[in-house]
Amino acid sequence: MIIQPKVRGFICTTAHPDGCARAVQDQIDWVKRQAPFDGPKKVLVVGASTGYGLASRIANCFGAGAATLGVFFERPASGKRTATAGWYNSAAFHEAARNDGYYARSINGDAFSDEIKAETIAAICEDLQAVDLVVYSLASPRRIHPRTGENFSSVLKPIGGTYTNKTVNVQSGEVSDIAIDPASEEEIAHTTAVMGGEDWQMWIEALDEAGVLADGVRTIAYTYIGPEITHPVYRDGTIGQAKNHLEQTAKALDEHLQAKSGSAHISVNKAMVTQSSAAIPVVPLYISLLYKVMKEKGCHESCIEQMHRLFAFGLYAGASTDAEGRIRIDDREMREDVQREVVALWEQVNTDNLESLSDIEIYRSEFLGLFGFGFAGVDYSVDVDPERGL
Ligand code: NAD
């Protein structure tokens, strides 16, 4: 099969196995060039196939020599359909980990369900006995509640009033105003049910009840704060409410884990081109300006650089936290000089000057890169077998 990108709005419906393998290998190679760090030894990553979860898995495996068990929701290839990028990423990760002698196993299915939690616990009992780090890095548009069967959908909306600001159509380069109506109370509750902390808590309780959390276990989940430009649709919007809930859950879990000298943490990460952030209105335009400014200032970081810094110099190095107890690896994004310049560009940017004022071209190539496209050394005109085993 010859595989080309098919972009529909903010997703790409095809993925390239060799390109995804290249992207994973690039992350692994980057970690191998850093000094090894003293980190966890047996890690469970929930949401391990793309974005921050995949980078967490790579950083801890190749940086700290950890055995990793990954949980994700991806689709293998079937008939004329390619697999999803996360499937190919995980296949490539497994191969590289095993080649280097590291344990790697993955479970593909709905992490919100009791069945997948039980399957994960069985895998830990079989192979690892206990885990000493649980990374919770899910990003999902929906969740079926495992106890009530209720179907929740998350929305990305402001709260309290209509929000109008600039946004970009990444493919056409058109910058226009977008007006987003405020969420209803029900939509706020649904978004919190999907992206808040309830499922994280269910995971930790299930793992604890099964006796598979090691003494001194740590668990961490990721949040975002970002600049004022995006606050109405992010931090002060529905997703922000969910993140507040996630952050509150960290406090409850931290207390719960004290009994086994464990702890729960929140890391505030930098805005990054991922499949999830591409879906948020306004954010892709902000990211394309942010990347430009951070690259010019030499302080830009990719997913793997962020996750390596988090684990090697943060969580396992006694990192300082903010007043809310969160680890801040968004410090460079939030630097006053960076934000001042992004805001100045934000005020000027329009369809005509987008290419020169922003890194929209880099945004586009990173977006396609998420699906394995655009890598030097991969011949996209060659017939490839889309099947890959985990
Ligand atoms: P992503 O879309 O790249 O990854 C999401 C992961 O969740 C994938 O592995 C996917 O398979 C998995 N997943 C989704 N639904 C699932 C389900 N039902 N069962 C099992 N697995 C499922 O997302 P990301 O951008 O890396 O986000 C990860 C976390 O980081 C989120 O909490 C997000 O809010 C946070 N974060 C992201 C950014 C950013 O700019 N991308 C910034 C700060 C924090």
Side-chain angles (χ1 to χ4, degrees):
M1 182 193 277
I2 292 179
I3 306 170
Q4 296 290 340
K6 276 194 195 138
V7 177
R8 304 265 179 278
F10 51 77
I11 58 159
C12 179
T13 58
T14 53
H16 199 286
D18 297 340
C20 289
R22 179 74 262 152
V24 168
Q25 193 59 46
D26 285 349
Q27 293 196 43
I28 293 171
D29 291 345
W30 186 88
V31 172
K32 285 181 168 180
R33 289 196 296 274
Q34 317 308 307
F37 63 95
D38 194 11
K41 293 296 162 236
K42 295 176 182 179
V43 181
L44 168 64
V45 181
V46 183
S49 54
T50 56
Y52 276 124
L54 173 65
S56 305
R57 188 175 199 184
I58 292 172
N60 284 305
C61 174
F62 292 92
T68 61
L69 176 60
V71 178
F72 45 73
F73 209 2
E74 302 293 348
R75 198 192 59 229
S78 71
K80 286 195 157 71
R81 286 180 94 185
T82 70
T84 51
W87 180 275
Y88 290 140
N89 291 341
S90 303
F93 173 83
H94 276 203
E95 195 181 336
R98 286 176 189 147
N99 283 344
D100 280 11
Y102 297 121
Y103 170 93
R105 178 168 172 178
S106 295
I107 291 169
N108 186 35
D110 182 6
F112 296 127
S113 70
D114 286 343
E115 292 74 19
I116 288 296
K117 290 183 178 75
E119 212 182 301
T120 306
I121 288 166
I124 298 172
C125 289
E126 237 169 76
D127 297 346
L128 301 170
Q129 288 72 54
V131 289
D132 57 1
L133 172 67
V134 180
V135 176
Y136 187 81
S137 186
L138 281 192
S140 172
R142 62 192 69 83
R143 170 178 175 221
I144 298 172
H145 196 281
R147 308 289 145 77
T148 65
E150 212 178 329
N151 214 320
F152 297 108
S153 289
S154 67
V155 298
L156 295 156
K157 290 187 176 181
I159 294 172
T162 300
Y163 166 63
T164 307
N165 212 328
K166 291 177 185 178
T167 196
V168 69
N169 176 326
V170 171
Q171 300 316 317
S172 71
E174 188 191 349
V175 177
S176 60
D177 276 345
I178 184 174
I180 313 168
D181 288 334
S184 64
E185 287 302 323
E186 194 190 16
E187 287 174 320
I188 299 169
H190 274 230
T191 307
T192 302
V194 179
M195 289 296 287
E198 188 189 22
D199 182 61
W200 184 22
Q201 181 149 9
M202 285 179 162
W203 267 102
I204 297 300
E205 285 173 0
L207 294 163
D208 196 20
E209 275 163 30
V212 295
L213 294 178
D215 277 344
V217 66
R218 296 175 202 212
T219 185
I220 190 161
Y222 303 139
T223 193
Y224 182 65
I225 296 177
E228 277 180 26
I229 312 165
T230 64
H231 277 185
V233 74
Y234 198 97
R235 195 65 213 193
D236 297 338
T238 47
I239 182 71
Q241 288 290 307
K243 290 298 184 191
N244 288 342
H245 187 269
L246 185 82
E247 291 171 29
Q248 286 310 314
T249 304
K251 294 186 175 139
L253 290 179
D254 193 59
E255 240 171 70
H256 176 96
L257 291 173
Q258 297 289 315
K260 44 172 26 87
S261 307
S263 52
H265 307 262
I266 290 285
S267 171
V268 188
N269 299 352
K270 165 183 182 287
M272 199 67 75
V273 182
T274 66
Q275 293 189 39
S276 301
S277 69
I280 309 175
V282 183
V283 167
L285 181 57
Y286 166 72
I287 290 182
S288 59
L289 296 171
L290 177 74
Y291 275 30
K292 172 114 179 156
V293 172
M294 292 186 79
K295 282 185 176 170
E296 275 170 11
K297 290 181 178 291
C299 64
H300 176 74
E301 288 169 300
S302 60
C303 252
I304 193 65
E305 290 170 281
Q306 278 262 294
M307 291 301 94
H308 183 264
R309 177 151 73 101
L310 171 63
F311 293 106
F313 301 104
L315 191 62
Y316 289 92
S320 60
T321 54
D322 67 10
E324 305 297 324
R326 302 171 295 205
I327 299 174
R328 302 296 297 262
I329 53 167
D330 65 337
D331 49 346
R332 298 175 191 169
E333 169 181 0
M334 299 311 287
R335 249 167 50 183
E336 200 267 329
D337 60 321
V338 170
Q339 284 302 320
R340 191 169 3 94
E341 287 185 33
V342 172
V343 168
L345 292 172
W346 184 268
E347 281 161 8
Q348 298 167 49
V349 72
N350 57 39
T351 307
D352 296 333
N353 61 23
L354 176 73
E355 305 284 339
S356 60
L357 286 195
S358 78
D359 260 357
I360 190 72
E361 205 38 59
I362 288 178
Y363 188 100
R364 288 187 187 113
S365 71
E366 287 205 6
F367 176 77
L368 287 176
L370 298 175
F371 304 92
F373 296 107
F375 289 92
V378 177
D379 186 348
Y380 293 94
S381 63
V382 163
D383 223 325
V384 282
D385 179 0
E387 305 270 341
R388 290 290 187 280
L390 286 182

